[in-house]
Amino acid sequence: MQNPQNSIVFQPLTSAIRALAMDAVQQANSGHPGMPMGMAEIAEVVWRKHLRHNPANPAWANRDRFVISNGHGSMLHYALLHLTGYDLPISELKNFRQIGSKTPGHPEVHHTPGVETTTGPLGQGLSNAVGFALAEKLLAADFNRPGHNIVDHHTYVFLGDGCLMEGISHEAASLAGTWGLGKLIAYYDDNGISIDGKVEGWFTDDTKKRFEAYGWQVIGPVDGHDSAALQAATLEAKADAQRPTLVICRTTIGAGSPNKAGSADSHGAPLGAAEIALVREAIGWNHAPFEIPADIYAAWDAKAAGAAAEGEWSTQFAAYAAAFPELAAEFTRRLSGQLPSGFKAAADSLLDKVQAKAESIATRKASQNAIEALAPSLPELLGGSADLAGSNLTHWSGSKELPPGSLADAAGVNYINYGVREFAEVAIANGVALHGGFIPYTATFLVFSDYCRSAIRMAALMNIRQVLVFTHDSIGVGEDGPTHQPIEHTASLRLIPNLNVWRPADTAETAVAWTHGIERHDGPTVLALTRQNLPFTQRSAQQLADIRKGGYVLADAADAQGVLIATGSEVGVALAAQKLLAEQGVAVKVVSMPCTRLFDLQDAAYKSAVLGKALPRVAIEAGVTDGWYKYVGLEGAVVGLDRFGESGPGGALFKQFGFTAERVAETLKSLL
């Protein structure tokens, strides 16, 4: 599958990439030199002949997006950023994979200038790229006008065998073909090698036929070390505006290494000093480590071309703003991530209506009501569900679904049918959010959050604003049985840093959760919502404000002898238990804790005031118990469920498993 080593003609511009990659990995004594050395020619063609970007302004709105999905080859990206003039000095390359450097082991967005998304978990970068291309297409449909194409850029993505072996690549690539994302161009590093050796023993897919079946234009295989062939392939790819393109590039991993090229030995370990000396001789690179001649820097430097490209676009945008001032202002606002002026009024009105109606409905329905109330003021809100819209209740009256094909009728689209593709759904939405101009929300059953957990984690890691609507949140699912009844999922999601997990108790908490999730700029929000109806509780203005603190006293009691802490559907059980205990002469207060992370972020005085000092505490949640002991202490108790559920009516299951006022009351009394 690989090109013979002696067939490659090494050029100074690509030798610079190879040298920087192998030297940085060697100095760090850690990393992956093989991919950067194998994809050097592909990178040179894309970055020097096609990629529109401005190193002086990595956030330029109409820049092309570039993603390395095979993120272990991060030194390729860092070498390109350094050589083309980004604020990534050679000292950072020398500090590769070290604490505090801007060159971490895998590319990280918001950390290294010019990096568009955090990659490493294979296949997700490709899915993010699909999201970038989708966002470009939808923004163009919303804002471009005849003679004014202010949104017009490509998304380029590099990927490897590992990305294509991951199942998420099937999900995302299928959607990209269905949507006709003609400005998405992927370069497949077909080197036949992964960590364990030659992939022919475990990866025999016909990749060409596979992507053709998805509706992609497939070019190649081409010689991935032949710049002329790569240039021709890229021009052909850009000529097809109706289909995404996969360019299959036959390459040699570790190209330039006399003894380790074409083998797993160059994949994930330093080449070694002796081999690096041989590489220098083989590629004609007679320079010390991290030394780049001035003429090489000059040939790579993209600052002047980038400034000119952005300047030309700025001129175009000025003309656009003169012709369409309101559209230009809206475009600028949406790209800035700031919410429209009418959002706060819509959110306040929603909460007022919720209080006035006092409806006892399922929180999934309360969520739909919140979308209905907030979406008209949020043209950037882009919803979607993994084939469960009728159950997740993510549609609203103004939903306009994404059509298949070339998206000719994409203006005003605000809803996506992802099909049964939970993992790709969240990863694509991550790309949409990173692109800018949209606030995505996605949906499935809570139990299927397992399928997309890695993408949820990446959203939290990247501080992405996305709302994840997960319905059917407990044994209240009922007759579908234990396969569909989430037991550990809410607790497991709470373990992810920077992820706000809301389990609201009624329409008021749901409205606040939705509003908070949209307002949040620094991370994703999960809404765990019920299938069954829940009782509504009236609140004071202070209580409504305190919902945002994640936990608050919902029902106080004078001279309280204990505290009941509950979340979601179990808040109603706690309130019933409070009443029962009062009848027995035992006063307790009820704390609703819809978002444990936000409660944990409050100061000690507030938390102490809410939970009470030296009072017996009982936590109630229809799920695993471990996470609640940090609130009740070892001397407290948790009414929970540390086993799988059963098939039967939801109400009957709550009784069978002891989520009743009587059991909660007895548990609290046992602590007195």
Side-chain angles (χ1 to χ4, degrees):
M1 296 287 287
Q2 293 85 26
N3 292 322
Q5 178 75 13
N6 59 12
S7 71
I8 303 173
V9 178
F10 296 104
Q11 303 290 344
L13 295 180
T14 52
S15 292
I17 294 174
R18 291 185 168 95
L20 287 173
M22 68 182 183
D23 288 341
V25 171
Q26 184 67 24
Q27 179 147 310
N29 195 30
S30 174
H32 298 75
M35 183 280 252
M37 297 174 73
M39 296 193 77
E41 284 78 19
I42 305 170
E44 188 272 333
V45 168
V46 172
W47 275 66
R48 291 189 67 248
K49 299 178 180 178
H50 295 279
L51 191 72
R52 287 192 308 164
H53 62 117
N54 184 4
N57 182 16
W60 167 37
N62 201 42
R63 69 192 181 279
D64 289 337
R65 270 51 169 190
F66 175 76
V67 176
I68 287 186
S69 187
N70 41 352
H72 54 271
S74 58
M75 262 311 303
L76 175 61
H77 206 167
Y78 302 147
L80 292 166
L81 293 169
H82 171 73
L83 290 169
T84 55
Y86 284 79
D87 184 17
L88 195 69
I90 197 69
S91 59
E92 293 290 351
L93 275 64
K94 292 179 179 179
N95 211 22
F96 179 54
R97 287 190 164 218
Q98 305 308 302
I99 294 174
S101 78
K102 291 190 180 297
T103 50
H106 293 81
E108 296 182 24
V109 69
H110 312 312
H111 185 74
T112 307
V115 170
E116 300 283 2
T117 181
T118 301
T119 57
L122 295 176
Q124 289 198 58
L126 170 61
S127 304
N128 297 161
V130 172
F132 285 130
L134 175 63
E136 190 274 343
K137 199 79 170 180
L138 296 181
L139 272 182
D142 283 345
F143 288 98
N144 287 353
R145 294 296 182 268
H148 297 276
N149 290 333
I150 61 163
V151 181
D152 183 12
H153 51 265
H154 284 79
T155 299
Y156 299 94
V157 56
F158 287 2
L159 54 95
D161 292 303
C163 294
L164 294 183
M165 283 187 262
E166 289 285 1
I168 190 174
S169 71
H170 294 259
E171 298 180 23
S174 172
L175 286 169
T178 296
W179 296 336
L181 299 179
K183 291 182 181 176
L184 173 63
I185 303 176
Y187 297 82
Y188 166 33
D189 181 26
D190 184 13
N191 60 39
I193 297 293
S194 66
I195 291 176
D196 285 345
K198 295 182 178 180
V199 301
E200 60 191 19
W202 52 85
F203 184 50
T204 60
D205 301 14
D206 189 327
T207 299
K208 180 179 177 67
K209 289 182 179 178
R210 170 185 160 190
F211 275 77
E212 286 175 343
Y214 292 148
W216 287 53
Q217 173 184 215
V218 181
I219 300 172
V222 302
D223 184 344
H225 302 293
D226 183 337
S227 296
L230 292 165
Q231 169 69 352
T234 303
L235 290 173
E236 184 180 352
K238 293 172 78 171
D240 190 335
Q242 306 304 316
R243 296 179 295 171
T245 297
L246 179 72
V247 183
I248 301 175
C249 307
R250 292 280 168 80
T251 63
T252 299
I253 191 171
S257 174
N259 297 307
K260 297 186 177 183
S263 77
D265 292 341
S266 66
H267 186 285
L271 297 180
E275 186 67 14
I276 286 176
L278 294 176
V279 174
R280 278 183 153 73
E281 181 179 350
I283 67 177
W285 191 255
N286 302 312
H287 308 286
F290 302 105
E291 179 184 318
I292 305 294
D295 62 327
I296 300 297
Y297 273 128
W300 271 105
D301 191 352
K303 293 192 292 294
E310 183 176 358
E312 180 182 350
W313 179 82
S314 297
T315 300
Q316 293 173 347
F317 188 76
Y320 175 80
F324 308 100
E326 292 183 0
L327 279 175
E330 177 68 356
F331 178 80
T332 301
R333 180 196 69 78
R334 283 179 57 171
L335 266 292
S336 75
Q338 296 302 308
L339 295 176
S341 58
F343 176 75
K344 186 180 185 305
D348 291 344
S349 175
L350 166 64
L351 203 52
D352 289 343
K353 289 178 181 178
V354 162
Q355 287 284 93
K357 287 187 175 182
E359 292 181 295
S360 294
I361 56 177
T363 51
R364 62 170 175 162
K365 179 61 179 175
S367 169
Q368 186 180 47
N369 291 346
I371 298 171
E372 191 74 44
L374 299 175
S377 70
L378 284 170
E380 59 264 54
L381 195 62
L382 182 65
S385 178
D387 201 48
L388 288 168
S391 294
N392 299 147
L393 301 184
T394 45
H395 264 133
W396 62 288
S397 62
S399 291
K400 180 179 179 181
E401 295 184 358
L402 178 68
S406 63
L407 309 191
D409 188 29
V413 161
N414 57 20
Y415 195 85
I416 300 171
N417 293 307
Y418 286 100
V420 188
R421 300 180 180 92
E422 296 90 351
F423 195 178
E425 171 189 39
V426 178
I428 288 170
N430 285 346
V432 168
L434 287 167
H435 179 280
F438 294 97
I439 300 174
Y441 68 90
T442 52
T444 187
F445 286 174
L446 178 58
V447 76
F448 300 137
S449 65
D450 282 342
Y451 282 138
C452 49
R453 183 182 178 88
S454 183
I456 300 169
R457 182 178 186 272
M458 294 302 291
L461 178 62
M462 293 189 279
N463 303 311
I464 287 173
R465 175 161 54 181
Q466 180 182 169
V467 178
L468 301 112
V469 179
F470 292 146
T471 66
H472 297 60
D473 71 331
S474 73
I475 54 173
V477 172
E479 293 85 349
D480 276 338
T483 62
H484 283 54
Q485 293 168 5
I487 302 301
E488 75 280 16
H489 297 74
T490 302
S492 176
L493 288 168
R494 289 180 181 134
L495 296 176
I496 299 177
N498 197 40
L499 179 66
N500 285 351
V501 180
W502 287 82
R503 192 161 178 257
D506 62 4
T507 56
E509 290 187 359
T510 304
V512 172
W514 252 110
T515 302
H516 190 277
I518 290 172
E519 292 174 345
R520 187 182 184 204
H521 285 266
D522 62 352
T525 297
V526 162
L527 307 181
L529 307 171
T530 65
R531 177 195 184 194
Q532 72 274 23
N533 292 342
L534 301 183
F536 176 81
T537 302
Q538 284 289 352
R539 294 166 177 81
S540 67
Q542 185 60 56
Q543 287 175 317
L544 289 173
D546 285 346
I547 293 173
R548 287 175 169 267
K549 297 178 180 177
Y552 63 102
V553 178
L554 177 62
D556 212 343
D559 300 318
Q561 298 169 259
V563 183
L564 301 178
I565 308 168
T567 181
S569 52
E570 289 71 70
V571 170
V573 177
L575 291 170
Q578 180 194 44
K579 181 178 180 182
L580 184 61
L581 286 164
E583 293 170 354
Q584 299 172 16
V586 179
V588 299
K589 65 177 180 178
V590 174
V591 171
S592 178
M593 196 176 291
C595 183
T596 58
R597 178 177 180 270
L598 288 177
F599 182 75
D600 291 345
L601 292 175
Q602 305 307 310
D603 60 46
Y606 178 79
K607 289 187 283 189
S608 178
V610 169
L611 295 179
K613 295 181 179 179
L615 290 177
R617 302 170 187 168
V618 176
I620 311 105
E621 184 170 56
V624 294
T625 60
D626 284 2
W628 288 103
Y629 284 100
K630 70 175 179 178
Y631 303 110
V632 303
L634 295 178
E635 68 281 3
V638 181
V639 176
L641 190 61
D642 289 312
R643 53 152 288 180
F644 296 115
E646 293 185 18
S647 181
L653 291 175
F654 270 87
K655 291 180 181 178
Q656 176 174 327
F657 290 117
F659 294 100
T660 63
E662 291 77 13
R663 183 190 175 198
V664 171
E666 289 302 315
T667 302
L668 188 283
K669 287 165 62 178
S670 73
L671 301 179
L672 296 177

